[in-house]
Amino acid sequence: MELYKKNYASRNIRGKQRVCEYLSSNPMLESYVPQTVSFSLEHLEMMINRYEMVYVKPDIGSHGIGIFKVKKNDSDYELYEIVKKKQVRSLYKSIFDIYDRIKKQRSAKLIIQKGISLDHVNDCPYDIRAMVQRKPGGTWVCTGLIVKVGARNKIVTNHYQGGTILSMKKLGKKQGLSQAETASRVGKLSRVALQIAHTLSKKRSGMHELGVDFAYDKKQQLWVLEVNSNHPQFYPLKQLDPAAYRKMKRFAVSYGRRDA
């Protein structure tokens, strides 16, 4: 394991809130970033009153672990959480009770993020992972896109929590999009992903790969849900798109990654 760490050359940026601040400082990217603040009772009250739905996430973490969804109703609040890969829904009368529940469950640093009502395919929410890597030799390229489809009504979409995956072409067909519309989507996702890579790599030298999680909301506005610079996974592409997988793996090997 120590040898692996020594040889793996790509550095990362720790903390979702820090990443959001870096992206929001770029006028070309700020409209894609949901409002994100640190977790406190004051911030939770402010965010739930402003947006009526928010997500509470670990500032450092992945695989959809430790994520809460909070929704404001007319007379109460709903709290959704994943417990042993099962989604649990609870009702609370006050936002303080929800704050207290989350605080007792999670001691690590948390963030609160504006809730995005995700676009659906076959009645299930989805998001899109853009893999961005440095070519052997230096320049950033978008090496592939993976559509992650969650189970119906589940608060996370990732593969670890039981989600399925699609290609962008398959997503377009299922949504009745033309080839030109799908190509336009792919082009925009790739361009924004590259802007993100250039922005973040100016803040942190030595970065060689990013997994950018995008989502369209129900009004077809594009959002950046998360940027993973710590071993972003692309192995699901091995069966879905072998050519893209081989390309990603070749790039990964060039900067010392051996686990793909």
Side-chain angles (χ1 to χ4, degrees):
M1 188 67 176
E2 289 303 315
L3 180 63
Y4 165 75
K5 287 182 178 179
K6 182 178 179 181
N7 288 342
Y8 186 45
S10 186
R11 300 175 75 186
N12 62 71
I13 297 175
R14 290 176 64 80
K16 296 180 179 69
Q17 188 169 4
R18 179 179 296 171
V19 169
C20 288
E21 289 169 356
Y22 288 161
L23 297 183
S24 295
S25 68
N26 183 338
M28 296 179 69
L29 295 173
E30 60 181 340
S31 64
Y32 300 115
V33 184
Q35 184 177 5
T36 304
V37 297
S38 59
F39 180 73
S40 69
L41 177 58
E42 180 183 3
H43 284 166
L44 185 59
E45 287 182 305
M46 178 268 290
M47 292 286 281
I48 198 66
N49 287 330
R50 179 173 295 177
Y51 298 116
E52 298 189 341
M53 183 179 74
V54 300
Y55 282 83
V56 179
K57 307 176 180 181
D59 188 49
I60 297 172
S62 60
H63 300 308
I65 297 170
I67 293 178
F68 299 85
K69 175 183 171 181
V70 184
K71 186 178 178 184
K72 182 181 181 182
N73 299 322
D74 290 338
S75 58
D76 57 21
Y77 300 88
E78 296 175 62
L79 177 67
Y80 296 84
E81 56 186 305
I82 303 293
V83 179
K84 295 181 179 179
K85 294 193 177 184
K86 291 185 178 180
Q87 183 164 292
V88 177
R89 171 181 174 268
S90 307
L91 292 176
Y92 292 84
K93 285 296 183 183
S94 78
I95 199 66
F96 176 80
D97 290 336
I98 285 186
Y99 170 80
D100 192 49
R101 163 69 179 171
I102 294 173
K103 194 71 175 173
K104 286 178 179 177
Q105 286 290 99
R106 297 288 163 184
S107 58
K109 181 181 177 182
L110 299 170
I111 60 168
I112 308 168
Q113 195 166 68
K114 171 187 174 179
I116 306 299
S117 295
L118 299 187
D119 190 25
H120 282 54
V121 57
N122 292 345
D123 295 325
C124 295
Y126 71 92
D127 61 28
I128 302 165
R129 162 68 59 89
M131 191 70 184
V132 192
Q133 296 169 283
R134 283 194 189 274
K135 277 184 178 180
T139 58
W140 286 103
V141 292
C142 183
T143 47
L145 299 167
I146 309 169
V147 181
K148 300 175 292 174
V149 183
R152 193 168 298 173
N153 298 320
K154 206 162 186 181
I155 64 173
V156 295
T157 61
N158 65 64
H159 196 63
Y160 178 81
Q161 296 289 349
T164 58
I165 59 171
L166 298 174
S167 65
M168 286 296 293
K169 184 177 179 180
K170 192 70 173 284
L171 174 66
K173 285 185 176 180
K174 286 181 175 290
Q175 293 188 315
L177 300 179
S178 68
Q179 290 184 358
E181 288 171 322
T182 295
S184 177
R185 267 190 167 193
V186 169
K188 181 171 184 176
L189 289 164
S190 300
R191 287 192 302 273
V192 177
L194 288 172
Q195 288 174 344
I196 288 169
H198 289 133
T199 298
L200 295 182
S201 59
K202 289 177 182 176
K203 301 290 186 179
R204 177 72 160 161
S205 63
M207 298 179 70
H208 290 274
E209 63 178 11
L210 298 170
V212 183
D213 289 336
F214 289 105
Y216 287 96
D217 64 20
K218 292 182 178 178
K219 295 180 180 179
Q220 297 305 300
Q221 181 174 345
L222 184 63
W223 297 93
V224 178
L225 297 183
E226 191 170 327
V227 180
N228 186 349
S229 59
N230 184 26
H231 295 69
Q233 295 300 327
F234 55 86
Y235 66 86
L237 268 182
K238 190 170 186 177
Q239 301 298 325
L240 183 70
D241 189 342
Y245 172 80
R246 288 193 296 270
K247 183 177 183 179
M248 291 179 191
K249 187 170 183 178
R250 187 174 75 251
F251 282 23
V253 168
S254 77
Y255 47 80
R257 182 169 175 176
R258 297 288 187 268
D259 70 327

